[in-house]
Amino acid sequence: MRGVFVTGTDTAVGKTVVSAWLVRALEADYWKPVQAGLEGETDSEVVRRLAALPPERIHASAYRLKAPLSPHEAARREGVRIDLARLDLPVSSRPIVAEGAGGVLVPLDADALIVDLMARLGLPVVLVARCTLGTINHTLLSLEALRARRLPLLGVVLNGPPNEANRKAIETHGRAHILAELPRFDALDESAIVEAARRFPPRLPAGCEVPA
Ligand SMILES: Nc1ncnc2c1ncn2[C@@H]1O[C@H](COP(=O)(O)OP(=O)(O)O)[C@@H](O)[C@H]1O
Ligand SMILES: [Mg+2]
């Protein structure tokens, strides 16, 4: 497995938290190709803290944009054009967990969307969904968008208090494999992530190699 691409049904659904969990569970590196928003901790810094990674396992973002906006608009404000051709998967002996920005149809420039970056990288996709009302619709829409572009789906991670009705609806109507259901952590810190990687390992489909 070269890695996975973590996307979400929306912004703030838990992509960064799920990435930290995956990094620990898969003994992977982390890469945020396009970071929009530099105030406070960046996603790379959050993952480094939560997964307690040495700096060499966090690959530098290709674009670091100041405004916490959709990448196309954050880039436009700085006179930058996000060039897909510059977004190559970093070289590593470990798998790479790449985290997108926002959801699947977020623009990178006037032409390209996050799904185009996924297609370019060719990594199986992990879709993070929240557990609250509205998630079935957002998840099914995201799955349709991925399938319309024939992107390989590894599975869905449900993030938050378990909700069986949501899970069943996503499995049935979305024909999607649920990789894990991550609980809401009262204290979100390194020990919570390490414990979650141990207690809730991703249910990888057969044929997916996980490092020993
Ligand atoms: N399982 C969880 N338990 C506790 N807090 C969470 C959990 N998942 C996400 N959060 C919190 O929700 C917010 C958004 O999560 P984040 O991973 O940054 O989302 P995204 O990367 O999709 O924007 C953050 O403050 C994060 O700490
Ligand atoms: Mg994030």
Side-chain angles (χ1 to χ4, degrees):
M1 192 202 258
R2 286 192 307 138
V4 296
F5 192 100
V6 177
T7 188
T9 55
D10 198 354
T11 191
V13 291
K15 294 185 300 295
T16 303
V17 170
V18 165
S19 295
W21 162 77
L22 276 173
V23 157
R24 290 298 301 220
L26 304 177
E27 297 194 24
D29 292 356
Y30 175 80
W31 181 46
K32 176 90 178 177
V34 179
Q35 171 70 47
L38 300 176
E39 279 228 341
E41 272 184 311
T42 61
D43 285 0
S44 298
E45 286 160 353
V46 172
V47 170
R48 191 164 95 189
R49 174 169 59 78
L50 289 181
L53 289 190
E56 68 271 15
R57 285 179 56 186
I58 305 273
H59 298 271
S61 296
Y63 291 94
R64 286 170 49 87
L65 306 162
K66 285 197 202 80
L69 298 172
S70 172
H72 80 292
E73 176 59 14
R76 190 195 63 80
R77 290 185 184 197
E78 291 180 44
V80 169
R81 188 174 164 271
I82 296 176
D83 181 4
L84 270 190
R86 269 192 54 198
L87 297 175
D88 285 323
L89 195 67
V91 176
S92 176
S93 56
R94 286 174 289 266
I96 292 185
V97 172
E99 180 183 344
V104 294
L105 297 187
V106 161
L108 293 170
D109 68 7
D111 304 313
L113 305 171
I114 287 281
V115 280
D116 298 308
L117 173 58
M118 294 180 194
R120 174 175 168 81
L121 295 174
L123 298 174
V125 174
V126 172
L127 177 66
V128 181
R130 59 193 168 76
C131 287
T132 45
L133 191 63
T135 196
I136 297 173
N137 181 51
H138 287 160
T139 305
L140 300 186
L141 285 169
S142 301
L143 290 169
E144 278 208 7
L146 293 169
R147 291 201 172 110
R149 291 160 181 87
R150 303 190 183 288
L151 292 168
L153 177 76
L154 193 62
V156 174
V157 175
L158 299 171
N159 185 37
N163 179 317
E164 201 189 340
N166 282 348
R167 177 172 53 74
K168 282 193 174 147
I170 289 167
E171 282 176 323
T172 310
H173 295 285
R175 302 183 319 281
H177 172 70
I178 307 297
L179 282 172
E181 292 176 90
L182 290 190
R184 177 137 205 104
F185 305 107
D186 292 330
L188 186 56
D189 55 16
E190 181 196 336
S191 60
I193 291 298
V194 170
E195 172 76 358
R198 197 181 57 74
R199 280 186 55 204
F200 314 105
R203 293 189 283 263
L204 295 175
C208 257
E209 284 170 44
V210 197

